[in-house]
Amino acid sequence: LCMVGNSRQTANSISVLDLGTRSVVQRLADSENGSITFSPDRSRAYVCEPGSQRNRVVVYDLTRRPIAVLTTIPVSGGVRYRGAMARDGHRLYVPLHDGVAIVDTDPASPTFHQEIGKRTSLIQGNSTTIFTGPIDVAITPDMRKLFIAYGENLIYPAPSSVGVMDLFNPAAPERLIPITTGGAFSMGLNLATHNRIEVSPDGTTVYVLEYGVTPMPGLVVGFQNGALICVIDALREQEIMAIPTQGFGQEEFALDRMGRNLWVPQLDLAGMGQVLRIDVDRHSATRFQATARISVDPAH
């Protein structure tokens, strides 16, 4: 099965697809969905809801057919898009407008499916909007570090920021890593948005996706080469590369299981849908280069 969030509609929902038959087998209604995070055993799905219900995570029971809501977890802030699950499945980290909520997801715990803590972030937003503050988070495989992608106000071309929290030392202050900004919304907002972050399977590299928009004088500045994907050395906590995508409208990307290719759905410079393949294999001569652009729009 595959779960797909349908957002920005009059009635947001999640479609459940059977990949064998390529058909929709269920629609989970009334979901003001952001992004979907799964427990390691794939028995539960956790959906952050950044709509009008900005302070909850909905948990779906994937062991039942049809899929049903297992519980709803209230959290102490305005929810953003994606939570990240620790590798052992015991903690879910949920980005909020002013920090990161820590949710107990250990079924053997007496506080199972409760918020048990919160880490305040250095960059914060408003609880009633989804533009600034923590937007997405990612955990290293050893569960030591939490990386945070932000929406933030800045004057382009000033650098953007990625946050790092030490999960083994809650008292340690958050650190900010400066990264290259490809562009920003102007219109008095001066807003730069990074809405997706992921750590490589070996834990050495962090990838941060910028949301890009076609340059429009007076509205948008920068993005001459499309949005950027910034690459961070996870150990040194330094940017090592900024990859131009030559595209816009990116909201998601995916690393393959071996950590060799990064796949980015986007609009090309002509506004047509494509999937960009970037080589991120550290043994490759073409590492950090775009190696394929696959059209997903019908020919005109």
Side-chain angles (χ1 to χ4, degrees):
L1 297 177
C2 175
M3 299 178 71
V4 179
N6 309 304
S7 61
R8 299 184 183 274
Q9 300 178 24
T10 54
N12 294 338
S13 64
I14 297 174
S15 294
V16 182
L17 283 65
D18 184 311
L19 295 183
T21 62
R22 298 187 180 183
S23 61
V24 177
V25 294
Q26 187 179 353
R27 177 176 172 271
L28 301 167
D30 300 321
S31 175
E32 298 192 22
N33 56 82
S35 295
I36 304 166
T37 302
F38 297 95
S39 60
D41 62 2
R42 291 299 196 268
S43 66
R44 303 180 303 278
Y46 295 83
V47 180
C48 294
E49 298 211 337
S52 59
Q53 303 290 338
R54 296 183 193 279
N55 58 349
R56 70 180 190 179
V57 177
V58 179
V59 187
Y60 292 90
D61 185 349
L62 305 184
T63 66
R64 297 178 58 183
R65 294 294 182 272
I67 293 171
V69 173
L70 179 63
T71 190
T72 298
I73 305 169
V75 290
S76 55
V79 163
R80 294 314 197 240
Y81 285 105
R82 181 189 305 275
M85 181 79 67
R87 175 168 282 189
D88 63 6
H90 290 175
R91 295 290 183 269
L92 175 70
Y93 296 88
V94 179
L96 307 175
H97 75 281
D98 59 352
V100 179
I102 305 169
V103 175
D104 186 342
T105 50
D106 180 2
S109 170
T111 55
F112 182 44
H113 283 165
Q114 296 179 34
E115 180 181 334
I116 57 173
K118 181 177 179 178
R119 298 283 296 271
T120 301
S121 59
L122 291 175
I123 299 175
Q124 300 186 4
N126 191 296
S127 63
T128 62
T129 68
I130 56 175
F131 298 116
T132 52
I135 290 181
D136 191 25
V137 293
I139 307 169
T140 54
D142 61 7
M143 299 182 291
R144 287 180 173 271
K145 292 181 179 181
L146 181 78
F147 289 87
I148 306 171
Y150 283 107
E152 57 188 308
N153 299 115
L154 56 81
I155 305 297
Y156 175 81
S160 300
S161 303
V162 167
V164 189
M165 290 182 177
D166 186 338
L167 297 181
F168 280 28
N169 181 11
E174 178 189 2
R175 302 177 293 277
L176 293 181
I177 303 171
I179 59 173
T180 306
T181 303
F185 292 88
S186 47
M187 302 178 294
L189 296 175
N190 300 317
L191 175 67
T193 302
H194 291 82
N195 56 357
R196 187 75 171 87
I197 190 167
E198 191 63 81
V199 180
S200 63
D202 63 6
T204 63
T205 312
V206 180
Y207 302 97
V208 191
L209 178 66
E210 180 179 49
Y211 183 82
V213 180
T214 304
M216 294 175 283
L219 300 177
V220 177
V221 293
F223 298 125
Q224 284 80 8
N225 298 308
L228 299 179
I229 294 177
C230 295
V231 185
I232 295 171
D233 182 312
L235 180 62
R236 293 185 294 146
E237 297 180 5
Q238 294 178 353
E239 181 185 71
I240 57 176
M241 178 67 66
I243 306 170
T245 63
Q246 302 293 335
F248 308 104
Q250 301 89 343
E251 295 187 12
E252 179 63 272
F253 62 16
L255 270 171
D256 63 26
R257 188 163 293 185
M258 298 299 291
R260 294 176 177 171
N261 294 285
L262 185 66
W263 301 88
V264 188
Q266 62 180 15
L267 299 176
D268 66 16
L269 298 181
M272 303 294 286
Q274 73 171 196
V275 176
L276 172 66
R277 177 191 177 197
I278 298 174
D279 181 354
V280 293
D281 187 344
R282 54 186 178 146
H283 302 294
S284 173
T286 57
R287 189 185 188 195
F288 301 144
Q289 295 181 32
T291 55
R293 295 179 184 274
I294 304 166
S295 175
V296 292
D297 261 324
H300 289 280

